[in-house]
């Protein structure tokens, strides 16, 4: 089929969104966007969708409403990249234009079929009138097939609906398929759902051809432990274990874990490929900052497991400050995953290192009070800071790094070694809203020695603690002129700082 034939078959709704994004996308300059975090071509973005390798490029789709910077009927935006850092927008891939998805094409995934075509699986949403006059969403799973630019929805959609579910499984909360191919060539997918008591669960389905799907079993059940509905699951083998990622809604904090309302949960355990049973061994938060949700992972061509999340929090979408730029929502850095000592570790994708320029290195700097270091500033930077007590001095009470700083604004990372607590605080980042601006987490350190790698990209900070043992992510809409960085100690510390500009 020629591309023009495919395009002729796309709907008016999709065609209009493509015209719109082409016209309005041009009005947003490069400088008004993050430099190496994907942002929507225009309008609103939430979850990453369909992260896959196809046609010699990484493809990343996303939940998209092109016409406004607020959530609306979901389309799928589309972008491609060779390094997961530099992205080119492509035309919108899906629009809500069929009877079974007229109220939204929700999250889903993609893979390459054995005949070379690209398969998208997504959740179709229809709002159905209820007896009480209100509306309830009906969610089903749908397919579209394409060539990496244009997609045709499958004529037998939906391929999974209420009738495929065992009794008690919700038809209202049944969304976000994640696909993979087994070594025998058959397909699997997992989908978020709720059991009869309203608690989240992840359902497993199988298919021999990617088109006809059958229910297999409950892969994992919440039993009302971690929030309620479990959204956006992902499941993969990593360093000898199996990892289930899911993003629960409405979580209760437990100690220093799960403070984000809606956040991302990591369950580590074992998976029996014969019986397809997953046995959990441990759980942890995936991100200890404020903004991270609904990640998807990919196995790169060279075998690295890389994760990208939506760098936003549903509860703080009103944290816009002066951010009126025609786009809202951005993806996190791609993060390489590994398991160490039973915990999930994350490090910035190594391709970031090839963007480093202008190295500035300060070694063995004594800080008591506040210092500014020559050459250490910027809003697109990769900076590693190691802090330790100054030799011969008592353990310091607090060490803080302020960034995105000028006379009016700053955001900080503050560490109190006596409590082993690291805090991110963006109260003074320019926000005018009474929303969550702080988050604390427990970190490991040896007698006050801590390592932080901080990545800034215009509108965000991602802090990697102790070589990836924990990550804290937050968006900040502080004006770009605020590019100062300072180091503050209550007590006396000794620090090493290495900083690169990212370009
Ligand atoms: C998660 C989510 C998904 C859903 C999508 C809708 O952020 O709620 O469960 O598919 O967003 O945009």
């Amino acid at each position: 089929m020629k591309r023009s034939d495919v395009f002729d078959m796309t709907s008016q709704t999709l065609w209009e969104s493509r015209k719109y994004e082409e016209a309005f996308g041009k009005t947003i300059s490069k400088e008004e966007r993050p430099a190496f975090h994907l942002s929507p071509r225009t309008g609103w973005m939430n979850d990453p969708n369909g992260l896959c390798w196809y046609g010699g490029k990484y493809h990343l789709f996303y939940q998209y409403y092109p016409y406004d910077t607020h959530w609306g009927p979901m389309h799928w935006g589309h972008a491609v990249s060779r390094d997961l850092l530099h992205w080119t927008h492509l035309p919108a891939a899906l629009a809500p234009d069929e009877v079974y998805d007229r109220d939204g094409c929700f999250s889903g995934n993609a893979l390459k079929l054995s005949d070379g075509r690209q398969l998208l699986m997504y959740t179709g949403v229809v709002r159905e009138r209820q007896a009480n006059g209100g509306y309830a969403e009906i969610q089903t799973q749908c397919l579209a097939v394409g060539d990496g630019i244009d997609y045709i929805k499958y004529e037998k959609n939906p391929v999974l609906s209420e009738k495929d579910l065992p009794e008690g499984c919700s038809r209202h909360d049944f969304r976000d398929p994640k696909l993979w191919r087994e070594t025998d060539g058959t397909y699997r997918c997992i989908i978020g759902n709720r059991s009869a008591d309203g608690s989240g669960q992840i359902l497993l389905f199988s298919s021999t051809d990617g088109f006809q799907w059958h229910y297999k079993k409950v892969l994992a059940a919440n039993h009302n432990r971690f929030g309620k509905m479990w959204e956006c699951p992902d499941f993969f083998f990593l360093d000898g274990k199996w990892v289930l990622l899911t993003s629960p809604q409405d979580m209760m904090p437990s100690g220093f874990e799960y403070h984000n309302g809606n956040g991302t949960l990591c369950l580590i355990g074992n998976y029996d490929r014969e019986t397809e049973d997953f046995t959990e061994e441990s759980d942890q938060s995936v991100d200890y900052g404020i903004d991270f949700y609904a990640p998807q992972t990919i196995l790169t061509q060279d075998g690295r497991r890389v994760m990208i999340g939506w760098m936003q929090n549903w509860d703080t979408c009103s944290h816009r400050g002066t951010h009126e730029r025609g786009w809202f929502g951005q993806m996190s850095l791609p993060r390489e995953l590994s398991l160490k000592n039973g915990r999930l570790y994350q490090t910035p994708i190594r391709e970031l290192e090839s963007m480093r320029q202008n190295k500035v290195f300060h070694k063995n700097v004594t800080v008591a009070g506040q210092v500014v270091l020559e050459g250490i500033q910027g809003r697109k930077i990769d900076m590693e800071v190691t802090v330790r007590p100054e030799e011969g001095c008592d353990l310091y009470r607090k060490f803080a790094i302020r960034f995105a700083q000028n006379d009016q604004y700053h955001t900080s990372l503050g560490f109190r070694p006596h409590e082993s607590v690291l805090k991110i605080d963006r109260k003074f980042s320019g926000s005018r809203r009474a929303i969550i601006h702080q988050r604390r987490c427990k970190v490991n350190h040896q007698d006050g020695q801590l390592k932080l790698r901080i990545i800034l990209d215009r509108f965000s900070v991602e802090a990697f603690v102790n070589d990836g043992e924990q990550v804290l992510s937050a968006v900040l809409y502080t004006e770009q002129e605020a590019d100062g960085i300072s180091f503050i100690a209550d007590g006396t510390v000794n620090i090493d700082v290495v900083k690169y500009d990212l370009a």
Side-chain angles (χ1 to χ4, degrees), residues 46-47 63 71 74 106-107 175-176 231-232 293-294 314:
N46 59 290
D47 315 354
Q63 290 286 280
W71 193 88
M74 283 289 108
F106 275 18
S107 286
R175 59 181 175 272
D176 311 334
E231 301 188 308
C232 303
Y293 198 64
W314 279 113

Side-chain angles (χ1 to χ4, degrees), residues 7 93 179 277 289 318 336 345 353 417 428 464:
F7 194 71
L179 289 165
D277 284 329
S318 58
E336 294 183 18
Y345 272 63
E353 284 153 37
F428 302 106
F464 295 79

Side-chain angles (χ1 to χ4, degrees), residues 329-396:
Q330 56 184 306
M331 295 304 167
S332 74
L333 266 184
R335 301 167 184 183
E336 294 183 18
L337 302 183
S338 58
L339 290 186
K340 277 183 211 152
N341 314 318
R343 300 238 347 146
L344 185 74
Y345 272 63
Q346 305 168 51
T347 49
I349 192 164
R350 64 192 68 160
E351 282 78 349
L352 193 71
E353 284 153 37
S354 60
M355 292 176 62
R356 286 172 166 178
Q357 286 184 358
N358 311 330
K359 179 176 178 178
V360 181
F361 186 24
H362 293 270
K363 201 171 161 55
N364 273 324
V365 181
T366 303
V367 181
Q370 183 161 5
V371 306
V372 171
L373 299 176
E374 174 88 38
I376 304 289
Q377 69 196 53
R379 288 289 290 273
K380 285 189 296 159
I381 62 161
D382 183 346
M383 176 170 76
E384 196 161 272
V385 180
T386 306
V387 57
R388 55 187 94 78
E390 178 76 302
E391 222 176 283
C393 294
D394 288 342
L395 181 59
Y396 56 95

Side-chain angles (χ1 to χ4, degrees), residues 32 110 141 157 161 182 201 239 254 292 304 322 335 357 372 383 388 400 409 422 440-441 447 469 476 486:
E32 289 176 289
Q141 314 316 317
N157 278 343
S161 63
E182 284 291 337
Q201 57 184 359
D239 296 336
S254 154
F292 189 85
R304 290 172 287 161
T322 51
R335 301 167 184 183
Q357 286 184 358
V372 171
M383 176 170 76
R388 55 187 94 78
Y409 304 118
L422 178 68
R440 279 166 229 264
C441 73
D447 306 319
E469 194 174 22
L476 27 124
S486 61

